Amino acid sequence: LPETGRLYASTTVFRAPAGTPVPFRLGYADFDPDVRLFARLPVDAELAVGDPVRVVLDDRDGFRLIAATAQDAP
Amino acid sequence: VRDIEIAGVGMTAFGKHEDRTLESLGAEAVRAALADAGIDGDRLDAAYVGNVLGGGQAGSRVLVLEGITGIPILNVEAACATGSAALREAMHAIQLGVADVVLVLGVEKLTGLFQGGIDLGRTDRESALGLTVPATYALTASRHMAQHGTTAEQLAAVTVKNRRHGSRNPRAMFIDTPGIDDVLGSPAIADPLTLLQCCPNADGAAAAVLTATGAVKRRSRRAVRVLASELVSGTSSRRQVDITRGDVSRRAAARAYAAAHIGPEDIDVAEVHDPFSIGEVVSTEALGLCPRGQGGDFAASGASALGGRLPVNPSGGLLSKGHPLGATGVAQVAELTWQLRGEAGGRQVHAPRYGLAHTVGGGVAALDAVASVVTILAGEA
């Protein structure tokens, strides 16, 4: 996968089945050439649809999406 | 191919029937549909029964109460498209000539099964990370807003419109009529969707009697024919597909229009799957009822309200009626039958000729949908 992708869609979830703490944020991110990843995002991240994101490994969820900074750009 | 008519329809009120069983709800709808058709249960050649979460054998459990035994009784399941899928199978049985008079029943008893939203108990990655059903639709809404400029107010307008329609439907769960501010101010469920943009879980049943034309003496003044009912299943959602396109509904609609030899411009009234406000926005576009990207304006402008260019969900939709999963698709066809006969009372669309019913079912993370069904009915000019 390329280092950075683009946030395709996201939602902050306020109601979930018992046992799942809320709120949490979910999103899809697109990576070239034709991969769409689903992951959690930081709830408070300033991330809009279309913004650059990158993948970070996470013990609980496997991986998460975070905002990509200028230094992450290829 | 044989012509097919809807000889009778019936449904229970939708809502919280805490003191009723799945079996009694189903039997009530069956009796109503048989009475509307003017036939007894012994005239039936087969029955197709839609139910999702009732634990199996719903058809036999209901029909034995009405003394309907021995004939082929098939249970059908396709998530939220379940009732529609059952109707499609009934249509095929008549088209193939293996049956002349067929019962379609959709029935669901959700009260008491779980608290809050539907918990499918899945173990895939998406579900483990918290992808609830409302969150799935919220992601589509998020993308639709960014890509097409749809606003929160336009999404809320879907609820406002459908709740106004539902207030005229004695079988709907909700009869009050919230405004835009009420909808946007209701509790957040999954951003941007608020509580009043999510349909309630409900109990209920709906039934229809389909016949080969001429197989039973027609009781209603106007015939209602089934021109087409097409089902397609979903495809992978792990590629970069445009989730605002409603591809599965688009494919089902293309097949249905081709089979019916009409186009979206001919439709006079539609019952469109609206489990969430964004669902109606995406699906009205996918069905060709409004231009691409303009589903929000279609609802907010009044074009899809009663009295507008093309009324959508005159029954009040799932947002007003509630969503007893297996019953929903059959209830849509009951509504269109009443509309095409001119029997819809205070929510009657002016002289409709063609009606379209649409459902789309989901719940498998790797797929954009389980299935979508589009059914097209014709009344008499």
Side-chain angles (χ1 to χ4, degrees):
Chain A
L1 282 187
E3 194 71 14
T4 62
R6 298 268 171 195
L7 187 66
Y8 180 75
S10 94
T11 180
T12 301
V13 179
F14 297 92
R15 298 286 177 90
T20 307
V22 289
F24 57 86
R25 191 169 173 189
L26 302 170
Y28 290 120
D30 285 352
F31 293 79
D32 290 339
D34 189 17
V35 174
R36 178 164 295 166
L37 296 182
F38 176 80
R40 284 206 178 186
L41 289 73
V43 169
D44 51 359
E46 294 219 2
L47 265 174
V49 169
D51 284 352
V53 290
R54 66 187 177 89
V55 170
V56 290
L57 297 182
D58 179 284
D59 282 345
R60 197 193 58 185
D61 298 338
F63 60 86
R64 298 167 79 88
L65 294 166
I66 63 168
T69 61
Q71 291 90 321
D72 296 322
Chain B
V1 176
R2 305 208 290 174
D3 277 349
I4 296 173
E5 286 185 19
I6 298 184
V9 293
M11 70 180 273
T12 68
F14 281 6
K16 304 286 186 196
H17 292 289
E18 290 178 19
D19 55 343
R20 298 279 302 273
T21 62
L22 178 153
E23 290 83 353
S24 86
L25 289 165
E28 179 185 333
V30 169
R31 282 195 300 274
L34 291 173
D36 191 41
I39 63 169
D40 292 326
D42 59 9
R43 288 294 310 276
L44 297 172
D45 298 321
Y48 292 86
V49 180
N51 172 257
V52 181
L53 297 174
Q57 303 91 49
S60 295
R61 287 157 54 196
V62 170
L63 296 180
V64 69
L65 297 182
E66 297 302 306
I68 298 166
T69 58
I71 59 169
I73 297 171
L74 274 297
N75 295 290
V76 177
E77 193 274 311
C80 301
T82 288
S84 321
L87 185 126
R88 171 180 175 271
E89 294 310 304
M91 178 191 78
H92 282 168
I94 298 172
Q95 285 177 338
L96 287 169
V98 300
D100 292 330
V101 184
V102 180
L103 175 73
V104 181
L105 169 66
V107 57
E108 204 74 47
K109 175 75 194 290
L110 295 178
T111 301
L113 288 185
F114 42 74
Q115 292 292 316
I118 289 177
D119 183 354
L120 296 171
R122 298 283 155 76
T123 55
D124 53 82
R125 171 179 167 81
E126 285 87 343
S127 302
L129 293 187
L131 186 61
T132 60
V133 180
T136 303
Y137 277 87
L139 286 164
T140 302
S142 138
R143 183 68 199 180
H144 206 283
M145 295 170 94
Q147 186 170 326
H148 300 297
T150 300
T151 66
E153 288 74 17
Q154 288 175 332
L155 292 176
V158 174
T159 296
V160 171
K161 169 183 73 74
N162 289 355
R163 292 284 289 268
R164 279 189 191 143
H165 293 174
S167 72
R168 304 180 185 189
N169 184 351
R171 296 178 182 85
M173 181 167 170
F174 293 137
I175 57 166
D176 57 324
T177 54
I180 296 281
D181 291 344
D182 301 318
V183 175
L184 294 178
S186 64
I189 301 296
D191 173 49
L193 301 178
T194 57
L195 180 64
L196 294 188
Q197 296 177 64
C198 307
C199 72
N201 294 326
D203 312 318
V209 176
L210 270 57
T211 69
T213 296
V216 302
K217 186 174 177 343
R218 184 186 305 148
R219 278 184 80 246
S220 66
R221 202 156 44 83
R222 295 184 203 158
V224 174
R225 289 184 299 141
V226 181
L227 297 187
S229 185
E230 291 285 332
L231 178 150
V232 299
S233 291
T235 56
S236 173
S237 61
R238 287 175 175 158
R239 296 176 304 113
Q240 291 179 13
V241 295
D242 182 345
I243 62 174
T244 71
R245 274 178 49 90
D247 277 332
V248 69
S249 303
R250 205 168 279 268
R251 290 188 290 119
R255 291 174 63 135
Y257 288 132
H261 303 293
I262 66 168
E265 66 280 1
D266 298 310
I267 301 300
D268 301 307
V269 56
E271 287 281 309
V272 174
H273 203 60
D274 64 331
F276 302 91
S277 56
I278 184 64
E280 182 174 308
V281 169
V282 168
S283 295
T284 48
E285 295 175 25
L287 297 167
L289 303 180
C290 67
R292 174 108 165 90
Q294 294 179 31
D297 183 62
F298 187 46
S301 69
S304 59
L306 281 166
R309 174 176 71 77
L310 199 180
V312 172
N313 286 322
S315 71
L318 284 53
L319 288 167
S320 299
K321 293 203 298 279
H323 186 17
L325 309 169
T328 286
V330 187
Q332 288 182 333
V333 167
E335 174 70 15
L336 291 179
T337 299
W338 290 319
Q339 290 284 351
L340 293 169
R341 287 180 185 166
E343 296 175 356
R347 60 186 193 282
Q348 178 66 49
V349 175
H350 178 67
R353 175 81 197 279
Y354 295 107
L356 179 148
H358 159 262
T359 52
V360 56
V364 176
L367 295 170
D368 66 345
V370 170
S372 178
V373 181
V374 172
T375 300
I376 297 176
L377 306 182
E380 289 181 312

